Amino acid sequence: MRRKLIAGNWKMNGLRASSKALVQGLLDGISGGGPSYELLACELLVCPPACLLETVGGLIAGSPIGLGGQDCHSAEAGAHTGDISAAMLKDAGCAYVILGHSERRSDHGEADALVRAKATAALAAGLAPIVCVGETAAERDEGRTLAVVEDQLAGSLPPPGPGQDLVIAYEPVWAIGSGRTPSTAEVGEVHGAIRRWLDARLGAEAAAAIRILYGGSMKPGNAAELLAVPAVDGGLIGGASLKAEDFLAIARACA
Ligand code: PGA
């Protein structure tokens, strides 16, 4: 059984004061009122902007909440103004890094080959990459969803290796921040296809360790049904991860 992962992608949101309040809300929610056994059903992760990693990391130290970055460079170090390396994220306390998010792909023109290079660098630094894939509305309308997603997987995932700690996030571009989500049948279809693709590529045993998250307008109101879809191993949550109450409600929906 894969333990579900509930990851908060804060994107470019938060200053020190508001982030402290958000994290305090999460910590209070986890510990307040006795042990929240239902939270143990999932692993919790927050991915703040890079400049808040230290602040947030300090607050969550010793708690069940993990830390992740939102992007990294593919090189180990060097002349790359404005970028941060996987080793820097690791040094700041991160265990994960989100890579190939559709906003990176569209805002920064990141293509599959770059995402693969970043994911390879992340693994080398001891981080688990969360590699994002997903179709646009037009691609879905053209009936190309599975082909697009499988293409992105083939191009973006690092070359297979033993014991890789890897997460995939299926995020339909049209569902991100839109309030629209695919039906549970549509989510199940894509997650099932990703799972079969991984089995074929890596063998069932190695593939079994890889979690496939759903992302795109996951909220307290729809989390339980999305997380109950077979082959959905957690969620990558944007907007709703900025409110402690909502993020924790989604985490509880794993139980
Ligand atoms: P959303 O974002 O939950 O705000 O739709 C998800 C994501 O982009 O990871």
mmCIF file of all heavy atoms in Angstrom, residues 9 11 101 103 171 175-177 216-218 236-239, ligand 1:
data_model
loop_
_atom_site.group_PDB
_atom_site.id
_atom_site.type_symbol
_atom_site.label_atom_id
_atom_site.label_comp_id
_atom_site.label_asym_id
_atom_site.label_seq_id
_atom_site.Cartn_x
_atom_site.Cartn_y
_atom_site.Cartn_z
ATOM 1 N N ASN A 9 1.329 23.254 -2.730
ATOM 2 C CA ASN A 9 2.153 24.060 -3.627
ATOM 3 C C ASN A 9 1.742 25.525 -3.428
ATOM 4 O O ASN A 9 0.729 25.957 -3.947
ATOM 5 C CB ASN A 9 1.888 23.597 -5.077
ATOM 6 C CG ASN A 9 2.612 24.449 -6.105
ATOM 7 O OD1 ASN A 9 3.440 25.283 -5.756
ATOM 8 N ND2 ASN A 9 2.289 24.234 -7.369
ATOM 9 N N LYS A 11 3.083 28.126 -4.519
ATOM 10 C CA LYS A 11 3.392 28.976 -5.676
ATOM 11 C C LYS A 11 4.030 30.291 -5.198
ATOM 12 O O LYS A 11 4.751 30.278 -4.206
ATOM 13 C CB LYS A 11 2.132 29.206 -6.514
ATOM 14 C CG LYS A 11 1.420 27.880 -6.838
ATOM 15 C CD LYS A 11 0.356 28.002 -7.875
ATOM 16 C CE LYS A 11 -0.261 26.626 -8.139
ATOM 17 N NZ LYS A 11 -1.233 26.613 -9.196
ATOM 18 N N HIS A 101 6.033 21.767 -13.403
ATOM 19 C CA HIS A 101 4.664 22.256 -13.210
ATOM 20 C C HIS A 101 4.234 23.004 -14.463
ATOM 21 O O HIS A 101 5.055 23.645 -15.128
ATOM 22 C CB HIS A 101 4.620 23.178 -11.984
ATOM 23 C CG HIS A 101 3.219 23.537 -11.599
ATOM 24 N ND1 HIS A 101 2.515 24.515 -12.256
ATOM 25 C CD2 HIS A 101 2.396 23.043 -10.651
ATOM 26 C CE1 HIS A 101 1.303 24.601 -11.713
ATOM 27 N NE2 HIS A 101 1.208 23.721 -10.736
ATOM 28 N N GLU A 103 2.856 25.701 -14.855
ATOM 29 C CA GLU A 103 3.191 27.131 -14.836
ATOM 30 C C GLU A 103 4.664 27.358 -15.171
ATOM 31 O O GLU A 103 5.017 28.377 -15.759
ATOM 32 C CB GLU A 103 2.811 27.729 -13.470
ATOM 33 C CG GLU A 103 1.302 27.853 -13.345
ATOM 34 C CD GLU A 103 0.758 27.702 -11.937
ATOM 35 O OE1 GLU A 103 1.530 27.814 -10.965
ATOM 36 O OE2 GLU A 103 -0.466 27.454 -11.816
ATOM 37 N N GLU A 171 -1.842 16.732 -13.427
ATOM 38 C CA GLU A 171 -2.548 18.000 -13.249
ATOM 39 C C GLU A 171 -3.061 18.489 -14.600
ATOM 40 O O GLU A 171 -2.294 19.089 -15.373
ATOM 41 C CB GLU A 171 -1.605 19.054 -12.667
ATOM 42 C CG GLU A 171 -1.030 18.705 -11.319
ATOM 43 C CD GLU A 171 -0.639 19.947 -10.531
ATOM 44 O OE1 GLU A 171 0.165 20.743 -11.036
ATOM 45 O OE2 GLU A 171 -1.153 20.135 -9.437
ATOM 46 N N ALA A 175 -7.660 22.438 -15.216
ATOM 47 C CA ALA A 175 -8.245 22.298 -13.876
ATOM 48 C C ALA A 175 -7.498 23.131 -12.836
ATOM 49 O O ALA A 175 -8.002 23.369 -11.737
ATOM 50 C CB ALA A 175 -8.245 20.828 -13.459
ATOM 51 N N ILE A 176 -6.296 23.593 -13.187
ATOM 52 C CA ILE A 176 -5.459 24.296 -12.212
ATOM 53 C C ILE A 176 -6.011 25.698 -11.963
ATOM 54 O O ILE A 176 -6.123 26.501 -12.889
ATOM 55 C CB ILE A 176 -3.991 24.364 -12.691
ATOM 56 C CG1 ILE A 176 -3.399 22.959 -12.758
ATOM 57 C CG2 ILE A 176 -3.167 25.259 -11.778
ATOM 58 C CD1 ILE A 176 -2.005 22.894 -13.359
ATOM 59 N N GLY A 177 -6.374 25.938 -10.728
ATOM 60 C CA GLY A 177 -6.838 27.264 -10.321
ATOM 61 C C GLY A 177 -8.157 27.681 -10.948
ATOM 62 O O GLY A 177 -8.552 28.846 -10.842
ATOM 63 N N GLY A 216 -5.201 19.980 -9.256
ATOM 64 C CA GLY A 216 -6.064 20.843 -10.056
ATOM 65 C C GLY A 216 -7.388 21.033 -9.350
ATOM 66 O O GLY A 216 -8.249 20.161 -9.392
ATOM 67 N N SER A 217 -7.495 22.183 -8.651
ATOM 68 C CA SER A 217 -8.752 22.546 -7.966
ATOM 69 C C SER A 217 -9.224 21.487 -6.973
ATOM 70 O O SER A 217 -10.422 21.283 -6.797
ATOM 71 C CB SER A 217 -9.861 22.860 -8.983
ATOM 72 O OG SER A 217 -9.509 23.998 -9.749
ATOM 73 N N MET A 218 -8.272 20.813 -6.321
ATOM 74 C CA MET A 218 -8.685 19.930 -5.226
ATOM 75 C C MET A 218 -9.006 20.792 -4.009
ATOM 76 O O MET A 218 -8.250 21.702 -3.666
ATOM 77 C CB MET A 218 -7.597 18.906 -4.882
ATOM 78 C CG MET A 218 -8.110 17.817 -3.940
ATOM 79 S SD MET A 218 -6.842 16.639 -3.409
ATOM 80 C CE MET A 218 -6.857 15.468 -4.750
ATOM 81 N N LEU A 236 -1.789 17.205 -5.152
ATOM 82 C CA LEU A 236 -0.931 18.394 -5.202
ATOM 83 C C LEU A 236 -1.892 19.579 -5.203
ATOM 84 O O LEU A 236 -2.681 19.740 -6.134
ATOM 85 C CB LEU A 236 -0.044 18.377 -6.453
ATOM 86 C CG LEU A 236 0.936 19.543 -6.613
ATOM 87 C CD1 LEU A 236 1.861 19.684 -5.399
ATOM 88 C CD2 LEU A 236 1.790 19.373 -7.872
ATOM 89 N N ILE A 237 -1.814 20.369 -4.152
ATOM 90 C CA ILE A 237 -2.857 21.353 -3.895
ATOM 91 C C ILE A 237 -2.295 22.758 -3.927
ATOM 92 O O ILE A 237 -1.338 23.063 -3.211
ATOM 93 C CB ILE A 237 -3.517 21.069 -2.517
ATOM 94 C CG1 ILE A 237 -4.250 19.713 -2.587
ATOM 95 C CG2 ILE A 237 -4.524 22.142 -2.134
ATOM 96 C CD1 ILE A 237 -3.614 18.646 -1.796
ATOM 97 N N GLY A 238 -2.849 23.606 -4.754
ATOM 98 C CA GLY A 238 -2.413 24.990 -4.852
ATOM 99 C C GLY A 238 -3.230 25.874 -3.926
ATOM 100 O O GLY A 238 -2.945 25.989 -2.730
ATOM 101 N N GLY A 239 -4.249 26.492 -4.472
ATOM 102 C CA GLY A 239 -5.048 27.477 -3.735
ATOM 103 C C GLY A 239 -5.471 27.025 -2.346
ATOM 104 O O GLY A 239 -5.322 27.768 -1.368
HETATM 105 P P1 PGA B 1 -4.862 24.541 -7.616
HETATM 106 O O1 PGA B 1 -3.363 24.318 -8.105
HETATM 107 O O2 PGA B 1 -5.108 23.578 -6.492
HETATM 108 O O3 PGA B 1 -4.923 25.968 -7.174
HETATM 109 O O4 PGA B 1 -5.752 24.255 -8.784
HETATM 110 C C1 PGA B 1 -2.790 23.039 -8.169
HETATM 111 C C2 PGA B 1 -1.389 23.137 -8.713
HETATM 112 O O5 PGA B 1 -1.151 23.950 -9.609
HETATM 113 O O6 PGA B 1 -0.496 22.407 -8.262
#
